[in-house]
C-alpha cells in the first residue's frame, strides 16, 4: 500500500498549511426531534445524511437499515423546515429486509446514475460492506471497499469499524474507521482510498477522538466530524484535511474546531452533509433516558483559503 503524495512542492505546501488562517465554525440553529413513525417505519438512530439541492430534500439512513427523506429549507441562519416525508426499508437483491441480516448503516451519499436518477451509496459497519440502493430502498449493486479495510479483525472493537465514506475528486472512494485499526495509537487516524492510497493525521490536539462522519468539499479538501468525551459530555469537532498537502510517511497538518450546541451536550452526532457551500447539517444518533431522539444542527463554516 502506498502513502499519498499529491504535490511536488512539499516544503512550500507544508509552510502554507501551517500559516493558513484558521477555520471557524458556529452552530446557527438546531432541532430536537423525538422518534416518530414515518410510513410505518420508526425514524430514529440516524447515522448518515445526504442532500439533494434540486428538490431541497435531506435523506437520512438509520441503524435500522431504513432510508428516510425530509423536506428541508433554511434562510441561512435558521432551519425553516425539516419535515419527514417518506421511509423505505433497505432490502437485498431478493427483496428481503437487510435489517434482519445485520446490515448496519453508518454513512450515506448520493450517487446519481447516467439518467440523473438518485441512487444511494450506503456503508454498513457490519462486514464491513457497502452497497448501492434505489430511492425505494431496493438493492442495486455491491460496492467494493478498499482492500485494506475489509479485514474486520483489525478493528479496535466490535462497533469500531468503518464509520464514513465519501467520494473524492482525485482519490475516488475514501473511507475512515471510527477508531484507528490496531495496533495504531488511538489518536492516529488513517483514511483509506480505493486505489490503495492512505493519509493519516493525529487527533492529539483534541484528544482520543472517534471519527463519526466525513464529506468531501468541491475543492478536494475533506471535512471530518470527530467526537470526544469530556466527563459525561459528548463534544463534536470538525476537522479540515487537505490531501494535497499531505506528505509521504508524515502526519497531515490539519485544523479542528469545536462545536457547541446550546443546551445540548449529550448528542452523539454521526452524520454530516453540506446544504450550501458554507452551511452543513449534522444529525445525532442517541438515546436519552431510554427515549430515542435525533438532534439536527445547522452549522456555518468559514474555510481558510486554499494554499
Amino acid at each position: 500500500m502506498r502513502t499519498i503524495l499529491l504535490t511536488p512542492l512539499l516544503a512550500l505546501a507544508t509552510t502554507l498549511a501551517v500559516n493558513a488562517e484558521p477555520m471557524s465554525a458556529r452552530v446557527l440553529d438546531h432541532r430536537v426531534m423525538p422518534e416518530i413513525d414515518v410510513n410505518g417505519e420508526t425514524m430514529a438512530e440516524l447515522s448518515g445524511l445526504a442532500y439533494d439541492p434540486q428538490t431541497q430534500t435531506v435523506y437520512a439512513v438509520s441503524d435500522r437499515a431504513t432510508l428516510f427523506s425530509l423536506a428541508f429549507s433554511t434562510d441561512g441562519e435558521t432551519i425553516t423546515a425539516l419535515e419527514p416525508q417518506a421511509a423505505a426499508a433497505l432490502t437485498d437483491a431478493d427483496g428481503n429486509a437487510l435489517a434482519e441480516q445485520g446490515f448496519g448503516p453508518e454513512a450515506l451519499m448520493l450517487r446519481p446514475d447516467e439518467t440523473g436518477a438518485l441512487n444511494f451509496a450506503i456503508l454498513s459497519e457490519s462486514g464491513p460492506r457497502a452497497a448501492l440502493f434505489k430511492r425505494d430502498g431496493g438493492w442495486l449493486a455491491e460496492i467494493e471497499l478498499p482492500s485494506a479495510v475489509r479485514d474486520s479483525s483489525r478493528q479496535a472493537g466490535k462497533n469500531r469499524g468503518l464509520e464514513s465514506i465519501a467520494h473524492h475528486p482525485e482519490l475516488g472512494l475514501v473511507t475512515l474507521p471510527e477508531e484507528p485499526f490496531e495496533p495504531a495509537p488511538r489518536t492516529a487516524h488513517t483514511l483509506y482510498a480505493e486505489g490503495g492510497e492512505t493519509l493519516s493525521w493525529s487527533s492529539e490536539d483534541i484528544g482520543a477522538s472517534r471519527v463519526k462522519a466525513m464529506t468531501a468539499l468541491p475543492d478536494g479538501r475533506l471535512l471530518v466530524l470527530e467526537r470526544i468525551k469530556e466527563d459525561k459530555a459528548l463534544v463534536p469537532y470538525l476537522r479540515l484535511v487537505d490531501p494535497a498537502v499531505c506528505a509521504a510517511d508524515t502526519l497531515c497538518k490539519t485544523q479542528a474546531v469545536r462545536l457547541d450546541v446550546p443546551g445540548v451536550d449529550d448528542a452523539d452526532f454521526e452524520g454530516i452533509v453540506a446544504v450550501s457551500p458554507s452551511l452543513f447539517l449534522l444529525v445525532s444518533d442517541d438515546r436519552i433516558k431510554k427515549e430515542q431522539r435525533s438532534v439536527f444542527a445547522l452549522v456555518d463554516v468559514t474555510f481558510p483559503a486554499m494554499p
Side-chain angles (χ1 to χ4, degrees):
M1 180 181 297
R2 59 193 179 93
T3 303
I4 187 170
L5 177 58
L6 295 181
T7 174
L9 303 176
L10 172 58
L12 175 60
T14 301
T15 300
L16 288 169
V18 171
N19 296 331
E21 65 269 32
M23 176 176 70
S24 64
R26 61 191 180 103
V27 177
L28 301 176
D29 192 16
H30 72 280
R31 295 272 189 96
V32 179
M33 189 178 297
E35 67 174 41
I36 60 173
D37 182 273
V38 183
N39 299 143
E41 301 286 346
T42 301
M43 196 178 85
E45 298 181 74
L46 303 180
S47 53
L49 293 176
Y51 179 61
D52 178 11
Q54 293 187 346
T55 61
Q56 292 187 292
T57 301
V58 166
Y59 293 92
V61 68
S62 76
D63 292 353
R64 305 175 188 186
T66 305
L67 181 66
F68 297 91
S69 61
L70 302 92
F72 171 81
S73 64
T74 173
D75 60 9
E77 292 289 334
T78 61
I79 299 170
T80 53
L82 189 62
E83 303 295 335
Q85 301 291 304
L90 302 180
T91 58
D92 64 17
D94 297 318
N96 301 310
L98 282 172
E100 300 173 4
Q101 301 176 40
F103 191 87
E106 290 295 340
L108 169 71
M109 65 178 178
L110 296 183
R111 293 289 292 269
D113 64 19
E114 62 277 2
T115 69
L118 290 185
N119 296 323
F120 300 87
I122 298 177
L123 172 72
S124 168
E125 67 177 349
S126 303
R129 63 189 302 200
L132 195 64
F133 296 88
K134 296 181 290 186
R135 191 183 309 200
D136 64 3
W139 177 279
L140 285 174
E142 193 89 22
I143 295 174
E144 185 175 0
L145 292 171
S147 59
V149 304
R150 297 176 200 161
D151 183 3
S152 60
S153 68
R154 301 179 62 203
Q155 296 176 189
K158 180 180 179 181
N159 296 318
R160 301 291 182 267
L162 285 191
E163 189 78 8
S164 59
I165 57 171
H167 181 79
H168 188 271
E170 294 185 14
L171 298 173
L173 184 73
V174 292
T175 62
L176 270 169
E178 181 172 355
E179 293 184 10
F181 289 144
E182 296 180 334
R186 273 284 287 109
T187 55
H189 293 290
T190 297
L191 177 142
Y192 301 86
E194 62 177 285
E197 301 92 342
T198 65
L199 58 89
S200 301
W201 63 88
S202 172
S203 68
E204 287 185 357
D205 54 342
I206 65 173
S209 68
R210 294 183 180 180
V211 168
K212 289 297 182 176
M214 166 178 58
T215 187
L217 305 177
D219 59 22
R221 292 182 289 186
L222 297 163
L223 192 62
V224 180
L225 174 63
E226 299 180 21
R227 190 263 287 164
I228 65 170
K229 288 191 72 174
E230 289 184 353
D231 296 323
K232 295 183 179 181
L234 303 178
V235 183
Y237 280 80
L238 293 180
R239 184 179 300 278
L240 186 63
V241 180
D242 187 353
V245 297
C246 291
D249 302 320
T250 61
L251 294 175
C252 300
K253 297 184 181 299
T254 65
Q255 297 186 33
V257 294
R258 175 177 174 139
L259 298 177
D260 290 295
V261 181
V264 179
D265 65 359
D266 52 6
D268 191 9
F269 287 101
E270 291 204 348
I272 184 172
V273 67
V275 294
S276 84
S278 64
L279 293 179
F280 294 81
L281 189 67
L282 278 61
V283 70
S284 74
D285 163 15
D286 44 48
R287 178 180 285 106
I288 302 300
K289 296 179 180 178
K290 298 183 179 181
E291 292 186 2
Q292 200 75 39
R293 55 111 197 238
S294 300
V295 179
F296 291 86
L298 184 67
V299 180
D300 178 63
V301 183
T302 301
F303 296 102
M306 291 287 289

